[in-house]
Amino acid sequence: MRARVLIRPKAGILDPQGVAVERALPALGFGGVGNVHVGRLVELDVEDESQLDDMCRKLLANPLIEDYEIQTVTAS
Amino acid sequence: MRARVLIRPKAGILDPQGVAVERALPALGFGGVGNVHVGRLVELDVEDESQLDDMCRKLLANPLIEDYEIQTVTAS
Amino acid sequence: MKLGVVTFPGTCDDVDARLAVAKVAEPIALWHGDPDLHGVDGVVIPGGFSYGDYLRVGAIARFSPVMESVIAFAREGGPVLGICNGFQILCEAGLLPGALLPNKDLRFVCRQVDLEVQSTATPFTSTCEVGDRLSIPAKHRSGCYTGDVPSEQVVLRYAEGHNFNGSQDDIAGVANAQGNVMGLMPHPEHAVDLLTGGSADGLRLFEGMARVAVA
Amino acid sequence: MSRSPDASTTAPPGVEQAVALGLTRDEYALVVEELDGREPNEVELAMFSLLWSEHCAYKHSKKLLRTLPTEGPAVVMGPGENAGAVDVGDGWAVAFKVESHNHPSAVEPFQGAATGVGGILRDIFALGARPIAVLDSLRFGEPDSERSRYLLDRAVAGIGHYGNSIGVPTVGGEVVFEGPYETNCLVNAMALGLARTEDMIRSAATGVGNVLLLFGASTGRDGIGGASVLASAELDAEDESKRPSVQVGDPFEESKLLECSLELLSRGLLVALQDLGAAGLTSAASEMAAKGEVGLVLDVTKVPLREADMAPFEIMVSESQERMLCVCEPDKVAEVLALCEKWEVNGTAIGEVTEGNRFRILRGDEVVGDMPITGLVDDAPLYDLAPMKPTEPLYPVPAATLGFEADVREALVALLSSPNLASRRPLFEQYDSIVQSRTVRRPEEADAAVLYLYDMGEGAPSIATSIDGNGRRVAADPYWGTVGNVLECAANLACVGAQPLGTTNNLNFGNPEKPHIAWQLTEAVRGLGDACRALEAPIVGGNVSLYNEGADGPIYPTPVVGMVGLLPDATRAGGLGFAREGDAIALVGWDGDPSLDASELSKLRGEALPDGLPAIDVGQVVGVLDAVRDAVRDGELSSVHDIAEGGFLVAVAESCLAGGRGAALDLGDAQDVWTTLFGERSGGFVVSGPRETLERLGERVPLDVFGTVGGDRLEIAVSSLGESWSLDELRTASAALGPLFP
Ligand SMILES: Nc1ncnc2c1ncn2[C@@H]1O[C@H](COP(=O)(O)OP(=O)(O)O)[C@@H](O)[C@H]1O
Ligand SMILES: [Mg+2]
């Protein structure tokens, strides 16, 4: 299957990128934007989907500062 | 509304992060993984959802090297 | 002869660029929020981490008020040199073809590298001969060049064994079709003085810029 | 005049909570006394427990630190300020300090190391000095451990991330791998800054009615409990509970904060400036008030928050990074805020300087804390140590990686490729060492980094800096080991022609309540003081990190020493590589044999640490340093390299590799070949140059000409032994760290 992992800064953890983007957008003429967060996106083919959670905790995300969410894109 | 933008390397563009993850996983005991790509995740509240595409083209993604996909998380 | 050096929030090598410029012209500090170019004869966009490199290298700085003026200045044929982060910003601004991706090893590398001059059809390299080797330090984490660039616009390539970032065809620096805008990842402003630079080869690019800017 | 906080605040958390926060029962009783018999509420208890923690109050080290020499002709600012500073001439000063971020780095190495750099940089620009360099001092377990490799990789990435992004060059440092650091790594960072002496500012809040402003990042729940819980308790295997919330560094915010702070100062808008570090607002504000002998009132509702629902105590102890606190006159507030806006940093007035000695914390109109400032800052109890020399060895014997049957050929290759001696290039290339255009000697070009202070104008001098701290030798002998560390640092400066101006230090030790750790600490501080006195390089600042113990016992006692020295002419700065074919090579300085005790060779051979090291004739070594420095300044030597870990032959091999030139040595008859080639001892140098100049140097200090520079091999003859290596072979050996950074 093809899986997608969304990795984002944990609530309460500083997100410098989100802050920078949020500050930049109004200057570009995009008003009314808030609560911006920047994270990472990992997409991959996996045979054994039960491994995904473990993979996230061990490698893809840093559980101390990041939350992750696993999505299935296409089953196989 | 809360929107989510998924930004990923365009096909054919080097993705060293994807390569690094793909290499690291088997060493950690995760087999059967392939076609790994690493991109960016931007999540934000927008008042005017029609601006999103423009925002992506102008700022959030670089169309020369990246594709993007806009998802609505919650309408408002 | 006045050459402007732009400072964005997060720019690091602006002081260095002004020191280098001072060897060939009068350096003028330009501020990202001020669209006035103060009558300069050329513009240097220096290296560093404008806006922390957040989101994507060069992506946010490219929209600063000063950049509108720089873009107009470049379109009129004014010489513009982008170094490292400046190169990334010029690519994002569409003044130069291509984009800079993370280095193939995903690490920041600071290393003296050798470059080979490919074209002398820019003000900056007008002081060089094709094939000249320049020893200049490079230091970056996102310097892997990719893009559709005609070979005559490739100005500098890494010498064999010196391409640590994985750039396509060893490209280290490119120019626009007119040749008045150039970007490169290595730092010529850090090679203008033997005491601190290990070489003074980088000075030649500034000399070329000043020579043409005055004409 | 002590008014109790409003009744609406929560009931006192009580003594059990205090104990959980790290106070002893006796200390809690003292806190109650400070409050005139009233039990502290939540805000007060949080603040007292942090300010009375080991980390903030130096309860077990203050008495020892008082024995250190802190005065000298060059000292502009000594211990007690955010950093020390020394005079470099013409009204300019260099501020510098080393600080540890050991426990945060053990929990999250990338952010821990990054915020360590961010924190020490703030200490420097809090004085009004522009940061000009960073050095790092790192200790990990042996790299055959996966955890050590991970910590190394991420800590280095974190240091690079912060230093590179903020445009301060990382010009030097050290990394050492030893088993006792396996579960308790050390991440120390040192920073230097340059300022006009008259523009430097202190942190004392003064002027009743003046305004207290917080500027920089907003305040979140970062590192709450960090200072007291994380920094003062031993790490056990289960780190999970001690992960309140990791502090994330934002070098971009700090670069704006730095420029904003320096511009505020250059415009004369501030009365006092202070960074927020450990214990956040609590520590920064109370220390400013204590130094100025004033009171403060602070309203937590004015503090810009990243998370809306924070309790007053959380706001007061948050360790969110990239924040500064300043005091300015009321009519300057508008100008200060305008400058903050220019640099895109948030600035907010949060309080006021008051008469008296009270620190009053408000939430709007409600008083949520009211404490005596001197009680918070000065009254933490100081403890005497009960030092006792251990009767049993404290540390396990390292595993042998080189057999006694190995010959000299194999030994040199093994040493050059050993983790502690191999080239650090794969590490330091991840750091920008050249930004600011002042780096005259980059890493591996010389024993100390050399920085040209062009800001000072025509004829500007340069400074040299180095950081050292061999823990294994200190474990073998805390006194002589520490003396050796200080001399090594000074020797590095001599190699480039620099005279020490001042010293900073970071005392990384285990639990001082244990008698043998107390003994290590006491002896090390005695050695530190004696060596600095002999070198006339007073201690101008430093840091103490105690309770560095893991599951397997204490770390090696690790006093990390950082030094700054002056050299008048950077064009004559020494380099360590052999530079000219045909130059003579000499060993300078030793008036006796070196020793294999606690040497790198003995470690590779798996030998136990000796009980004690040979005494050092410090006066003799200081004389050698003077002579070598003079020779370098006269431009007489082609290369200079001090003999440190690995001994004489390793030093020669390093000079060969750095210069890309071979050497032929004839050492004559040696009493013991191994000791001659690989023994270690303070005050020795390998130098090269024209034979006559070497002979002139030999009139001042012991000197033996042993060989000649040239070719592409290292060849030695000693006693009946003849051996040779190609430079390629040595280079390959020395490149052994590469695989650690794939
Ligand atoms: N080992 C030491 N030697 C000399 N001075 C020290 C040492 N440790 C701490 N100090 C001094 O004690 C003061 C307080 O240190 P610290 O709490 O680390 O300050 P900050 O909070 O500004 O980082 C500083 O002036 C520092 O230089
Ligand atoms: Mg401080």
Side-chain angles (χ1 to χ4, degrees):
Chain A
M1 60 167 254
R2 182 115 187 115
R4 173 184 293 157
V5 182
L6 308 181
I7 301 158
R8 48 177 78 89
K10 257 195 157 75
I13 289 278
L14 177 66
D15 173 17
Q17 299 205 68
V19 175
V21 174
E22 190 161 332
R23 253 184 208 272
L25 281 167
L28 305 185
F30 300 112
V33 178
N35 200 3
V36 181
H37 287 286
V38 178
R40 282 173 305 122
L41 168 72
V42 181
E43 294 177 306
L44 68 178
D45 293 339
V46 279
E47 279 167 18
D48 178 0
E49 129 185 45
S50 72
Q51 293 191 322
L52 268 169
D53 196 65
D54 219 24
M55 262 181 227
C56 285
R57 272 180 298 110
K58 287 214 175 117
L59 181 75
L60 304 182
N62 178 348
L64 285 178
I65 54 177
E66 293 171 329
D67 284 331
Y68 58 87
E69 178 184 340
I70 297 170
Q71 298 181 344
T72 307
V73 183
T74 51
S76 66
Chain B
M1 61 168 252
R2 182 110 188 120
R4 172 183 295 157
V5 183
L6 309 181
I7 301 158
R8 47 177 80 88
K10 255 194 156 73
I13 292 284
L14 288 179
D15 175 16
Q17 299 194 70
V19 174
V21 172
E22 193 159 331
R23 266 210 212 118
L25 283 169
L28 295 176
F30 301 109
V33 178
N35 200 4
V36 182
H37 287 288
V38 177
R40 241 183 354 267
L41 169 71
V42 181
E43 294 177 305
L44 68 179
D45 293 341
V46 280
E47 279 167 18
D48 178 359
E49 136 185 41
S50 71
Q51 293 190 324
L52 266 171
D53 198 64
D54 213 26
M55 242 181 248
C56 285
R57 272 182 297 110
K58 273 204 177 147
L59 179 71
L60 302 182
N62 178 345
L64 276 182
I65 49 172
E66 295 168 329
D67 288 329
Y68 60 87
E69 178 185 339
I70 298 169
Q71 299 181 344
T72 306
V73 182
T74 52
S76 66
Chain C
M1 157 69 45
K2 298 196 285 187
L3 296 181
V5 176
V6 179
T7 299
F8 301 96
T11 296
C12 303
D13 302 82
D14 47 347
V15 177
D16 313 74
R18 291 202 299 271
L19 287 171
V21 162
K23 295 189 179 278
V24 299
E26 182 192 350
I28 303 291
L30 302 175
W31 180 243
H32 71 106
D34 178 4
D36 187 348
L37 295 186
H38 300 275
V40 296
D41 305 292
V43 176
V44 178
I45 318 274
F49 290 76
S50 60
Y51 293 94
D53 269 4
Y54 293 147
L55 193 65
R56 193 176 60 250
V57 291
I60 300 179
R62 168 250 178 286
F63 291 101
S64 298
V66 75
M67 283 307 294
E68 271 176 50
S69 313
V70 171
I71 291 170
F73 178 79
R75 301 239 191 270
E76 284 161 20
V80 177
L81 178 64
I83 301 168
C84 195
N85 188 229
F87 183 15
Q88 296 160 344
I89 293 169
L90 293 178
C91 287
E92 281 283 333
L95 286 176
L96 289 174
L100 283 311
L101 302 172
N103 296 351
K104 67 173 172 11
D105 295 334
L106 296 171
R107 288 185 193 277
F108 183 97
V109 175
C110 173
R111 185 182 293 171
Q112 195 84 14
V113 295
D114 281 356
L115 307 177
E116 282 171 6
V117 175
Q118 307 292 307
S119 157
T120 55
T122 77
F124 319 96
T125 49
S126 63
T127 48
C128 304
E129 303 285 331
V130 169
D132 278 359
R133 249 173 121 104
L134 310 177
S135 167
I136 290 179
K139 50 182 185 88
H140 54 254
R141 193 185 170 277
S142 292
C144 174
Y145 183 82
T146 182
D148 270 333
V149 57
S151 66
E152 56 290 0
Q153 283 174 242
V154 175
V155 186
L156 297 165
R157 286 188 211 274
Y158 298 101
E160 201 181 328
H162 291 250
N163 176 5
F164 63 74
N165 57 37
S167 278
Q168 156 195 326
D169 304 324
D170 298 327
I171 292 174
V174 300
N176 63 351
Q178 297 70 40
N180 64 308
V181 181
M182 173 179 159
L184 76 167
M185 284 313 297
H187 287 259
E189 83 282 20
H190 284 288
V192 297
D193 189 331
L194 285 177
L195 185 65
T196 52
S199 116
D201 293 351
L203 193 55
R204 291 161 75 180
L205 303 187
F206 293 99
E207 284 166 349
M209 183 175 186
R211 190 162 84 182
V212 172
V214 88
Chain D
M1 84 158 255
S2 160
R3 181 160 78 93
S4 299
D6 297 4
S8 63
T9 46
T10 46
V15 65
E16 297 308 324
Q17 276 286 346
V19 169
L21 284 167
L23 291 178
T24 65
R25 286 168 203 280
D26 289 343
E27 288 168 347
Y28 183 75
L30 291 175
V31 169
V32 173
E33 240 172 75
E34 294 288 347
L35 298 176
D36 300 326
R38 176 170 63 76
E39 285 199 76
N41 66 21
E42 192 174 63
V43 171
E44 293 161 340
L45 181 60
M47 291 176 63
F48 267 104
S49 70
L50 282 177
L51 285 178
W52 285 23
S53 70
E54 186 65 40
H55 187 77
C56 290
Y58 293 83
K59 289 184 287 196
H60 287 90
S61 62
K62 207 171 220 162
K63 293 188 176 183
L64 281 179
L65 296 180
R66 287 182 184 146
T67 66
L68 293 171
T70 58
E71 277 164 25
V75 176
V76 172
M77 256 184 215
E81 282 296 330
N82 285 312
V86 292
D87 184 12
V88 292
D90 274 349
W92 291 77
V94 166
F96 62 104
K97 187 181 178 202
V98 58
E99 199 157 73
S100 62
H101 232 209
N102 302 336
H103 292 276
S105 301
V107 175
E108 212 304 297
F110 181 91
Q111 295 296 344
T115 53
V117 173
I120 190 66
L121 288 173
R122 282 194 298 285
D123 271 329
I124 297 301
F125 67 80
L127 292 178
R130 174 172 288 279
I132 59 170
V134 168
L135 298 91
D136 60 343
S137 175
L138 310 175
R139 302 288 182 284
F140 303 101
E142 296 290 348
D144 53 13
S145 127
E146 189 180 329
R147 168 118 185 117
S148 292
R149 287 199 303 272
Y150 163 77
L151 290 172
L152 166 74
D153 182 31
R154 300 307 295 159
V156 168
I159 291 165
H161 166 67
Y162 213 103
N164 299 342
S165 306
I166 198 172
V168 179
T170 301
V171 297
E174 47 160 11
V175 58
V176 178
F177 304 93
E178 302 282 0
Y181 303 111
E182 171 79 33
T183 55
N184 196 126
C185 64
L186 301 182
V187 173
N188 292 184
M190 170 172 164
L192 284 70
L194 180 64
R196 272 182 214 280
T197 310
E198 62 181 21
D199 293 346
M200 290 177 69
I201 185 165
R202 300 204 178 233
S203 54
T206 51
V208 170
N210 281 346
V211 179
L212 188 67
L213 282 122
L214 176 66
F215 61 111
S218 54
T219 298
R221 286 201 172 86
D222 313 59
I224 286 187
S228 66
V229 180
L230 273 181
S232 301
E234 296 173 25
L235 278 190
D236 41 48
E238 195 43 77
D239 288 349
E240 206 66 49
S241 63
K242 288 172 186 164
R243 288 170 178 167
S245 64
V246 172
Q247 298 130 275
V248 170
D250 182 356
F252 173 56
E253 182 72 29
E254 182 130 314
S255 94
K256 296 184 296 178
L257 194 60
L258 155 67
E259 297 301 339
C260 183
S261 300
L262 294 183
E263 191 168 346
L264 285 168
L265 289 172
S266 74
R267 298 200 179 189
L269 294 173
L270 304 185
V271 172
L273 180 63
Q274 165 74 37
D275 61 291
L276 276 74
L281 264 177
T282 289
S283 160
S286 358
E287 283 180 13
M288 288 178 94
K291 285 184 183 143
E293 300 180 1
V294 293
L296 281 181
V297 54
L298 185 162
D299 183 352
V300 294
T301 62
K302 303 268 173 63
V303 175
L305 301 181
R306 203 165 73 226
E307 289 175 88
D309 58 340
M310 288 174 66
F313 91 89
E314 292 179 304
I315 297 170
M316 287 310 296
V317 306
S318 157
E319 294 189 344
S320 286
Q321 301 289 299
E322 291 93 23
R323 298 180 299 161
M324 300 290 283
L325 197 57
C326 69
V327 172
C328 75
E329 289 160 10
D331 60 348
K332 304 264 173 63
V333 171
E335 242 178 298
V336 170
L337 294 180
L339 254 184
C340 287
E341 201 156 304
K342 170 184 167 184
W343 287 105
E344 299 179 19
V345 304
N346 286 321
T348 323
I350 61 166
E352 201 181 291
V353 176
T354 58
E355 219 161 320
N357 180 35
R358 305 300 296 183
F359 192 173
R360 299 176 58 217
I361 316 289
L362 308 181
R363 174 167 59 191
D365 293 334
E366 178 195 2
V367 179
V368 294
D370 186 348
M371 296 146 281
I373 300 253
T374 46
L376 281 164
V377 176
D378 300 324
D379 291 353
L382 299 186
Y383 297 117
D384 287 311
L385 300 178
M388 200 160 67
K389 186 176 175 194
T391 48
E392 300 273 293
L394 286 182
Y395 300 98
V397 177
T401 54
L402 184 73
F404 277 87
E405 72 289 352
D407 61 14
V408 164
R409 239 202 104 62
E410 292 166 274
L412 177 63
V413 170
L415 279 165
L416 280 181
S417 60
S418 71
N420 287 345
L421 297 183
S423 166
R424 271 64 189 125
R425 183 166 295 276
L427 188 157
F428 68 70
E429 276 193 342
Q430 298 180 55
Y431 301 149
D432 182 344
S433 56
I434 60 174
V435 65
Q436 297 192 13
S437 296
R438 55 174 93 252
T439 311
V440 174
R441 287 289 176 270
R442 302 179 191 179
E444 252 177 29
E445 292 181 350
D447 284 286
V450 176
L451 303 165
Y452 178 46
L453 305 180
Y454 55 77
D455 322 57
M456 291 171 61
E458 203 65 38
S462 294
I463 53 165
T465 181
S466 167
I467 189 165
D468 282 281
N470 185 321
R472 183 152 31 84
R473 298 181 68 85
V474 180
D477 188 327
Y479 179 79
W480 289 116
T482 304
V483 170
N485 283 350
V486 179
L487 294 178
E488 153 93 35
C489 212
N492 288 336
L493 299 198
C495 285
V496 296
Q499 168 91 47
L501 294 173
T503 307
T504 184
N505 72 99
N506 202 121
L507 301 170
N508 302 276
F509 284 77
N511 179 351
E513 297 163 47
K514 298 181 182 168
H516 48 270
I517 304 289
W519 173 76
Q520 291 176 336
L521 184 59
T522 309
E523 287 295 284
V525 170
R526 192 166 66 85
L528 178 64
D530 286 349
C532 287
R533 265 185 290 269
L535 288 161
E536 296 174 40
I539 300 275
V540 298
N543 188 247
V544 180
S545 171
L546 300 176
Y547 301 94
N548 288 291
E549 306 211 1
D552 316 324
I555 59 164
Y556 279 155
T558 312
V560 167
V561 179
M563 238 180 232
V564 171
L566 194 68
L567 62 161
D569 181 0
T571 63
R572 292 200 168 164
L576 72 81
F578 291 141
R580 244 186 357 217
E581 299 277 318
D583 269 344
I585 300 170
L587 165 60
V588 181
W590 284 347
D591 62 354
D593 284 331
S595 147
L596 287 174
D597 285 355
S599 66
E600 288 298 320
L601 181 66
S602 67
K603 177 189 169 184
L604 296 195
R605 286 171 162 179
E607 293 185 80
L609 287 174
D611 177 17
L613 289 175
I616 301 169
D617 180 347
V618 175
Q620 191 269 343
V621 172
V622 171
V624 172
L625 302 192
D626 290 342
V628 168
R629 178 188 318 115
D630 288 346
V632 173
R633 287 184 174 190
D634 290 343
E636 296 199 325
L637 304 176
S638 304
S639 75
V640 196
H641 186 22
D642 76 308
I643 302 174
E645 287 83 0
F648 171 72
L649 193 57
V650 166
V652 172
E654 287 169 347
S655 289
C656 285
L657 290 177
R661 289 181 170 79
L665 307 178
D666 185 347
L667 300 169
D669 273 332
Q671 221 176 24
D672 177 68
V673 168
W674 290 96
T675 306
T676 302
L677 295 179
F678 302 113
E680 299 176 15
R681 179 187 175 101
S682 293
F685 295 82
V686 170
V687 306
S688 69
R691 188 172 275 268
E692 319 78 69
T693 56
L694 297 192
E695 278 162 5
R696 241 191 335 272
L697 178 58
E699 289 161 18
R700 279 182 74 179
V701 287
L703 182 145
D704 287 300
V705 174
F706 277 139
T708 316
V709 172
D712 56 4
R713 300 187 71 78
L714 170 59
E715 298 171 2
I716 60 163
V718 53
S719 297
S720 61
L721 183 87
E723 209 52 273
S724 111
W725 299 260
S726 75
L727 289 190
D728 280 342
E729 183 184 5
L730 298 180
R731 198 171 290 119
T732 305
S734 174
L737 286 196
L740 295 185
F741 301 101

